[in-house]
Amino acid sequence: MKLNREKHIGRVLFIVEGSRTEFAILRRIFCNLMGYSYIEKRRNRPDYFISSQDRYSQVAVINTRESNIRDISENETYLDDLFDVLREQYQFPVDQSAIYYLFDRDPGSNTDSAMIENYISMLANPYDNEDGYKAGQLLLSYPSIESYTVSSFNDVHLLRFSLGKDVKVYIGENTDIQLNKISEETVVRAALAFLQMGILEMEEELEE
């Protein structure tokens, strides 16, 4: 497995929960490693960060108004305003983009299971969803986005965390895990770990 820097991905919009880690990871991968054009707007910063590189592969990353999953539908005006800025000021056609909502999910955060199940059902396609619902696919990080960071550097098969805060403590205790060290090798490592864990889960389900 390797990164294919020659493949054009078109336009991709990530709408994320956190205002730090998600941005650091996505910028590192798509801007620094892949060399795509990249735009980001964090809720706690007034300015946009822009890097114009590959015009055939453009990634934008923005926040919901608050770091709660309900903001996907409860504060749509905030997102609509950001979409307008992306379209009009940065020529990023949101309506022609793959849209992904990236949120954490552990027992202590985003605890409204019924609402989350509804979002999973309604937000199933990054381009177009049924019944006239807005485009976008919901991606849940369990227990948190930091689990991806750990899988980029360490063997995660024997690690078990229930809460995102526990993963953060683990990262703090293992100083070799640093976002600025994400490389092609670490991205491949994390992807292989994801595939292997998926295979293990399927095997466990079949045994049951």
Side-chain angles (χ1 to χ4, degrees), residues 6-129:
E6 305 302 317
K7 182 177 178 60
H8 300 307
I9 64 168
R11 300 173 183 89
V12 181
L13 171 63
F14 289 95
I15 302 170
V16 303
E17 172 182 14
S19 60
R20 189 177 68 86
T21 303
E22 290 90 338
F23 286 92
I25 291 173
L26 295 172
R27 186 196 291 193
R28 180 72 180 174
I29 293 174
F30 293 117
C31 183
N32 299 112
L33 295 183
M34 301 302 295
Y36 297 160
S37 290
Y38 180 89
I39 306 170
E40 73 173 36
K41 172 63 173 72
R42 309 189 191 197
R43 73 169 67 89
N44 55 3
R45 296 185 183 178
D47 299 324
Y48 283 71
F49 171 83
I50 310 294
S51 175
S52 299
Q53 300 183 76
D54 181 357
R55 66 190 181 97
Y56 297 107
S57 300
Q58 299 177 312
V59 174
V61 188
I62 62 175
N63 278 132
T64 46
R65 191 179 72 173
E66 305 290 342
S67 59
N68 192 299
I69 198 168
R70 68 168 59 91
D71 261 41
I72 290 175
S73 58
E74 290 191 4
N75 286 298
E76 291 184 287
T77 301
Y78 176 86
L79 289 177
D80 288 341
D81 290 342
L82 289 179
F83 293 168
D84 287 340
V85 173
L86 289 174
R87 293 187 192 99
E88 297 167 9
Q89 295 188 26
Y90 299 104
Q91 292 72 57
F92 188 97
V94 175
D95 299 336
Q96 301 171 33
S97 304
I99 301 175
Y100 296 97
Y101 292 84
L102 184 56
F103 281 77
D104 292 346
R105 180 69 172 99
D106 72 22
S109 68
N110 296 325
T111 56
D112 189 334
S113 298
M115 180 176 61
I116 291 173
E117 288 178 9
N118 183 58
Y119 282 146
I120 291 173
S121 174
M122 300 301 294
L123 294 169
N125 189 307
Y127 291 99
D128 189 26
N129 285 301

